[in-house]
Amino acid sequence: MSAIADNLQAVLSRIARAAEAAGRSPLSINLLAVSKTKPLSDVLEAAAAGQCAFGENYVQEGVEKLLAVGQEKKLEWHFIGPLQSNKTRLVAEHFDWVHSVDRLKVAERLSAQRPADLPPLQICLQVNVSGEASKSGCQPADVLALCAAIAALPHLQLRGLMTIPEPVDDIAAQRLPFRQLRELAAQVQATGIALDTLSMGMSHDLEAAIAEGATLVRIGTAIFGERNYA
Ligand SMILES: *Cc1c(COP(=O)(O)O)cnc(C)c1O
């Protein structure tokens, strides 16, 4: 097996062990392979090993890769990076999911720009639950109103919430923001909006996220190795 295939197996084992420890089915957790900054050959290697969902953070890089891969491989492409409203069109035209919607203007543009012959764009609202320094993510107090507004847009399908907490080492501390996200999703569901996705957990904290109910973990480093931003 290639290094990437080995790493994928190791990540799937971590997911299965964490699911078992939480009394959950491993099948209730989807793996998104985050391929940002990595070459197309890495994506193809992971795809050959059976991985079908890929996450990208930069519009141009992601679109180049997904066009190069082509449609026949049936891969699923998730945009997970910060999204400025002047960059929404390419995302609406080419991706299947967007996890990083954090304001209504971006959602409205994605809906308006989604081509009519494609299925609705699958959306997660990004929430800044732990008050991290990063500017991305809406405030928890705005989640209910934003979900109601996004759910009403015609070419989007609101699937759930996403968060990127501050990195911490202690698993109990890691679980706190994930628990807050789960509780926010429950509040949204209580208003009658069906959500089926909690996009949370990365290479260093996927166990904590799964313990708190993650249905989709976004894993880069543990599959593709360290990123080099030089
Ligand atoms: C880069 C990135 C990931 C993957 O992070 P790793 O620590 O490499 O697993 C997940 N989610 C988002 C939003 C990212 O930008």
Side-chain angles (χ1 to χ4, degrees):
M1 282 206 290
S2 72
I4 287 174
D6 281 340
N7 292 345
L8 260 176
Q9 279 314 313
V11 167
L12 290 170
S13 304
R14 277 177 70 188
I15 292 171
R17 278 196 303 275
E20 195 178 342
R24 303 179 53 198
S25 163
L27 299 176
S28 66
I29 298 146
N30 294 298
L31 172 58
L32 183 66
V34 177
S35 45
K36 65 177 180 229
T37 80
K38 298 295 179 180
L40 177 65
S41 55
D42 282 10
V43 170
L44 296 176
E45 218 172 299
Q51 177 63 28
C52 57
F54 291 85
E56 289 283 338
N57 286 58
Y58 310 103
V59 178
Q60 204 60 45
E61 179 192 342
V63 170
E64 274 171 28
K65 271 183 222 168
L66 64 85
L67 288 178
V69 168
Q71 308 261 329
E72 60 282 354
K73 280 209 195 296
K74 303 263 179 268
L75 301 185
E76 195 177 87
W77 292 92
H78 296 231
F79 188 79
I80 63 174
L83 185 50
Q84 293 156 348
S85 49
N86 62 353
K87 296 271 182 66
T88 50
R89 182 174 295 279
L90 277 174
V91 171
E93 289 176 348
H94 292 289
F95 282 83
D96 302 297
W97 282 67
V98 181
H99 295 233
S100 44
V101 170
D102 63 359
R103 55 196 189 280
L104 189 55
K105 184 179 178 195
V106 164
E108 286 171 340
R109 289 177 65 93
L110 288 170
S111 180
Q113 293 168 342
R114 181 67 167 173
D117 59 330
L118 293 181
L121 193 55
Q122 308 297 299
I123 300 293
C124 290
L125 177 67
Q126 183 177 349
V127 189
N128 190 333
V129 275
S130 53
E132 55 258 42
S134 128
K135 284 196 213 60
S136 304
C138 71
Q139 292 306 305
D142 297 331
V143 167
L144 289 183
L146 276 170
C147 281
I150 293 169
L153 291 171
H155 302 293
L156 306 184
Q157 184 172 2
L158 180 65
R159 297 292 296 272
L161 305 182
M162 178 273 225
T163 196
I164 313 173
E166 286 288 309
V168 290
D169 290 330
D170 171 56
I171 185 149
Q174 287 176 354
R175 285 180 65 157
L176 276 176
F178 295 142
R179 183 173 318 152
Q180 287 173 277
L181 196 73
R182 168 164 56 78
E183 288 168 357
L184 280 168
Q187 288 176 31
V188 175
Q189 298 212 260
T191 70
I193 294 172
L195 302 181
D196 64 8
T197 302
L198 280 175
S199 168
M200 57 191 199
M202 303 174 23
S203 293
H204 68 286
D205 57 12
L206 73 87
E207 285 82 6
I210 288 171
E212 293 296 345
T215 66
L216 185 157
V217 292
R218 309 177 310 267
I219 309 299
T221 310
I223 297 172
F224 298 111
E226 295 289 339
R227 287 177 291 274
N228 180 357
Y229 287 97

